[in-house]
Amino acid sequence: MVKPKLHTELKLVMIKISFLLVNFLLLFFSAKAQVINGFVSITDSSYNSFLRSAPPKVTGKILNASKTELSNLKISYSLVTPFKEIQSTRISKVDSDGIFILKIDYPLPYQQIWLQIGDYFYTAIYANKDLIIELDLFELKRSNVDFYNNGVRYGGADGDFNTFMNKSMLYKRETQLDISREIDKLSFNNDNFLEHTDSLFYIKKRLDEEFVALNPSPYASVLENERLSEYYEKVLMGCLIKGVVPSFWDTIKKHRTYLISNSSMIFYKTLYKFFKYSQLKSNFKGDALHYEIAQMDSVFGQTYSDILKMQIHSNDILENQKFLEVVNTSIKTPWVKVLLKKQFNLSHEKILYVNKVLEEAKELPVDIKLGNPLTELPFGAKLYVLEEGIKPEDLLATLKSSFNSKAIVLDFWATWCEPCIKEMPYSKTLQQEAKNLPIEFIYICTDNTSSIDRWRNKIIELKQPGTHLFVDQYLTGALMALFGKSAFPSYVSINQSGQVVKDNIQHMSSANLEDLKKLLRK
């Protein structure tokens, strides 16, 4: 339950911290946590030797569960990655013996994974060499568990580290959540933004020190490093919005991280964003991508720059392929080169695969169902609910076959996505203008944190015509990934010849009838 106010202890500490804390923290942050025993920064050249020939192994076992419980248990996990799409979500199946395996793509040390076991358990784990997770379902069913309790055991080579990190998440949990909520509420436009940020992170520092004093560990410095990444990220975001450069910019540029975690990767994401939109000349007229890469190499040095280059990305699969081709030629760091080479190959395969599915789509019977028909609304909206388990390529082929003589505009959205909702009226106007053209507007809504009733009611509220599909979040994500999309709203245009058209529609509010006519055969 979200609390409207901080705990009394937290409020008292906030009051005691004065503006003098700013200078103290800057000295503290600039002088500490550059070397951690047992961990190598991903910005160090020696990091290359830590990569293994195969990804780490993560296996789990569900104990004290019936066959029925195991067959109904859903396991999902999100891998934290160094790429622009920081998380990649997967599902895992549990066998009749209660065993499940998490597939990991890259042999990266200490990669964070967010794991959800049905409605019973949620945690953040770290895969380095070998991790074994044992979960007692009898204990977990007593109450929903986060991170750690008596029904949870982390074993294998990575067991101690995972136990330490997850116990730290539970230390004075309510106070930690209060601090996080206050950090989320920080106003970047406030003149006292930095002072408030320092105050909150000082409290986080104090909590970490209290926890370490009670739980001595060789991994203690990792908490400090993660907290530092979060602190710098907030400072950079605030300075980017305020249009200023932080006074300790040189220190931030040298910050080193030790985990492939949310905190670390969001720091690099924001650092890249700050550099691109605050440090580069906006009036540069030459080759923008080559200029950006050259400047990045100059400012950060080769290895650090190579890591930041993994943030260079386009949501358009064709343009992103060109970006990757240019970026790959500039990479000198071996492990980054390996990862981006694989990204380039995957991108190329994705383009070939999407086009192949479209080309091979066969005309199906006229009465084919896109899903379970829910209703047809009087303003021209046809609603279908798709069952779980459909493959993205099968849905794409079905769409192409169902509207074989038409161009298609795909609109990926969510009922909770405000930008999606704001674009809908423009989409409706565009449909009306194109009503005599062979073009089908298909709206694909994720079921993530939504329901059929909420989805249907939102369509009715908007009076949004077109073909509407209600799709589970895993299929939505997989289908979007085929087109290089990762955020809502996203749009994909497929012409009458069955080819994806690059950059046809970026926003419905800026699209027009002429854009749609480009999708038709000539």
Side-chain angles (χ1 to χ4, degrees):
M1 182 175 70
V2 177
K3 296 179 173 57
K5 296 182 180 180
L6 291 171
H7 286 181
T8 302
E9 177 189 7
L10 183 56
K11 289 193 287 185
L12 289 174
V13 175
M14 289 283 289
I15 293 172
K16 292 179 181 178
I17 298 174
S18 69
F19 183 73
L20 294 176
L21 181 61
V22 176
N23 290 331
F24 165 78
L25 283 170
L26 294 184
L27 290 173
F28 170 81
F29 284 138
S30 63
K32 302 281 283 187
Q34 290 301 303
V35 177
I36 295 180
N37 291 333
F39 294 82
V40 174
S41 168
I42 67 174
T43 59
D44 289 345
S45 58
S46 58
Y47 188 77
N48 294 291
S49 64
F50 276 70
L51 268 70
R52 299 170 183 83
S53 58
K57 296 179 180 179
V58 178
T59 57
K61 184 172 180 60
I62 309 295
L63 306 174
N64 296 321
S66 67
K67 299 295 184 182
T68 301
E69 287 174 326
L70 290 175
S71 64
N72 292 329
L73 195 60
K74 291 186 177 181
I75 299 177
S76 64
Y77 61 102
S78 295
L79 297 163
V80 177
T81 76
F83 310 115
K84 183 177 183 294
E85 296 83 7
I86 289 178
Q87 290 193 9
S88 173
T89 302
R90 311 283 176 79
I91 58 174
S92 178
K93 293 183 178 180
V94 58
D95 67 19
S96 59
D97 293 324
I99 304 295
F100 63 89
I101 298 173
L102 306 187
K103 180 183 177 182
I104 301 175
D105 296 328
Y106 301 101
L108 295 168
Y110 295 103
Q111 184 175 17
Q112 190 179 53
I113 305 169
W114 294 89
L115 176 64
Q116 178 81 48
I117 308 291
D119 296 325
Y120 306 114
F121 182 59
Y122 180 72
T123 190
I125 57 177
Y126 301 84
N128 181 44
K129 295 180 181 178
D130 172 65
L131 177 63
I132 302 170
I133 310 166
E134 289 187 356
L135 302 170
D136 186 338
L137 193 61
F138 177 78
E139 291 289 337
L140 299 184
K141 285 192 297 186
R142 293 184 177 186
S143 62
N144 293 344
V145 176
D146 289 342
F147 306 114
Y148 187 80
N149 82 344
N150 292 333
V152 180
R153 190 184 80 83
Y154 299 106
D158 304 333
D160 289 345
F161 180 65
N162 278 274
T163 300
F164 174 80
M165 294 299 286
N166 277 281
K167 281 185 175 181
S168 74
M169 296 291 288
L170 295 176
Y171 181 71
K172 293 189 176 180
R173 183 62 180 163
E174 289 302 317
T175 303
Q176 288 197 54
L177 291 175
D178 282 334
I179 297 171
S180 296
R181 284 190 281 266
E182 289 299 307
I183 290 174
D184 289 340
K185 292 192 303 185
L186 283 169
S187 174
F188 294 119
N189 292 318
N190 191 315
D191 290 338
N192 295 324
F193 162 75
L194 185 58
E195 178 185 355
H196 293 163
T197 303
D198 287 343
S199 299
L200 290 166
F201 277 90
Y202 177 80
I203 301 170
K204 286 176 68 71
K205 172 181 177 293
R206 197 184 71 167
L207 287 175
D208 286 345
E209 290 174 343
E210 288 179 5
F211 172 75
V212 170
L214 295 171
N215 302 271
S217 169
Y219 309 119
S221 295
V222 176
L223 295 179
E224 182 179 323
N225 186 255
E226 288 283 275
R227 185 180 67 250
L228 187 56
S229 295
E230 295 172 15
Y231 170 74
Y232 283 153
E233 191 276 330
K234 285 298 178 186
V235 171
L236 287 173
M237 184 58 71
C239 289
L240 179 60
I241 292 175
K242 293 172 73 67
V244 299
V245 177
S247 58
F248 47 106
W249 170 231
D250 286 341
T251 300
I252 294 177
K253 287 188 294 183
K254 297 175 184 177
H255 175 55
R256 304 160 73 185
T257 64
Y258 296 85
L259 308 179
I260 305 295
S261 66
N262 271 354
S263 298
S264 297
M265 296 307 107
I266 292 174
F267 162 73
Y268 288 118
K269 185 183 184 75
T270 304
L271 177 62
Y272 169 73
K273 187 182 298 184
F274 181 85
F275 171 77
K276 181 172 183 177
Y277 296 108
S278 173
Q279 302 298 295
L280 289 180
K281 295 179 180 179
S282 58
N283 59 349
F284 181 75
K285 303 299 182 182
D287 186 319
L289 183 55
H290 283 89
Y291 170 73
E292 178 182 325
I293 290 172
Q295 291 298 305
M296 203 179 298
D297 289 343
S298 174
V299 171
F300 295 99
Q302 186 69 53
T303 301
Y304 211 119
S305 174
D306 285 351
I307 293 170
L308 292 181
K309 290 170 191 173
M310 287 190 280
Q311 296 296 318
I312 298 176
H313 178 82
S314 171
N315 285 333
D316 182 274
I317 56 175
L318 300 179
E319 184 175 56
N320 192 56
Q321 179 76 349
K322 294 179 180 178
F323 281 6
L324 285 169
E325 187 173 6
V326 173
V327 170
N328 273 317
T329 60
S330 74
I331 299 294
K332 300 294 189 295
T333 305
W335 73 269
V336 179
K337 192 177 238 357
V338 169
L339 265 62
L340 282 184
K341 179 63 176 177
K342 185 171 182 178
Q343 287 289 299
F344 178 83
N345 292 337
L346 289 174
S347 175
H348 181 65
E349 291 172 6
K350 186 184 297 181
I351 292 172
L352 294 177
Y353 183 64
V354 170
N355 288 333
K356 183 174 183 292
V357 170
L358 293 171
E359 290 171 2
E360 295 181 352
K362 297 179 180 179
E363 187 172 356
L364 299 175
V366 177
D367 61 351
I368 186 171
K369 294 180 179 179
L370 294 174
N372 297 320
L374 183 66
T375 186
E376 181 173 355
L377 301 172
F379 47 82
K382 296 180 180 180
L383 280 58
Y384 300 86
V385 178
L386 272 66
E387 298 178 352
E388 294 183 1
I390 299 175
K391 296 180 180 179
E393 58 267 29
D394 291 341
L395 175 56
L396 186 59
T398 299
L399 293 175
K400 181 63 177 63
S401 300
S402 299
F403 306 103
N404 192 41
S405 61
K406 292 185 176 183
I408 296 174
V409 176
L410 298 178
D411 182 329
F412 294 94
W413 70 293
T415 58
W416 40 262
C417 170
E418 286 299 326
C420 302
I421 305 303
K422 289 180 180 178
E423 292 289 308
M424 287 295 187
Y426 299 101
S427 179
K428 179 163 61 175
T429 299
L430 206 54
Q431 277 198 69
Q432 293 170 344
E433 293 176 351
K435 62 183 180 181
N436 295 323
L437 298 178
I439 299 175
E440 187 71 19
F441 284 74
I442 300 174
Y443 301 87
I444 300 177
C445 181
T446 177
D447 71 351
N448 186 16
T449 67
S450 190
S451 66
I452 292 176
D453 287 342
R454 184 180 299 174
W455 164 66
R456 178 180 55 201
N457 292 342
K458 179 58 69 174
I459 294 170
I460 294 173
E461 175 187 338
L462 296 169
K463 294 184 178 179
Q464 193 73 25
T467 299
H468 291 264
L469 309 181
F470 191 68
V471 180
D472 76 76
Q473 60 179 312
Y474 302 113
L475 176 55
T476 305
L479 189 60
M480 291 175 69
L482 283 177
F483 299 103
K485 306 294 184 181
S486 59
F488 297 112
S490 286
Y491 308 99
V492 174
S493 299
I494 302 173
N495 64 22
Q496 275 187 300
S497 299
Q499 299 294 312
V500 177
V501 178
K502 176 181 177 297
D503 290 339
N504 183 248
I505 296 178
Q506 294 295 314
H507 304 283
M508 287 294 178
S509 54
S510 60
N512 55 45
L513 190 59
E514 292 304 312
D515 293 324
L516 296 181
K517 289 181 178 179
K518 294 176 183 178
L519 303 177
L520 306 180
R521 293 192 184 97
K522 295 183 179 180

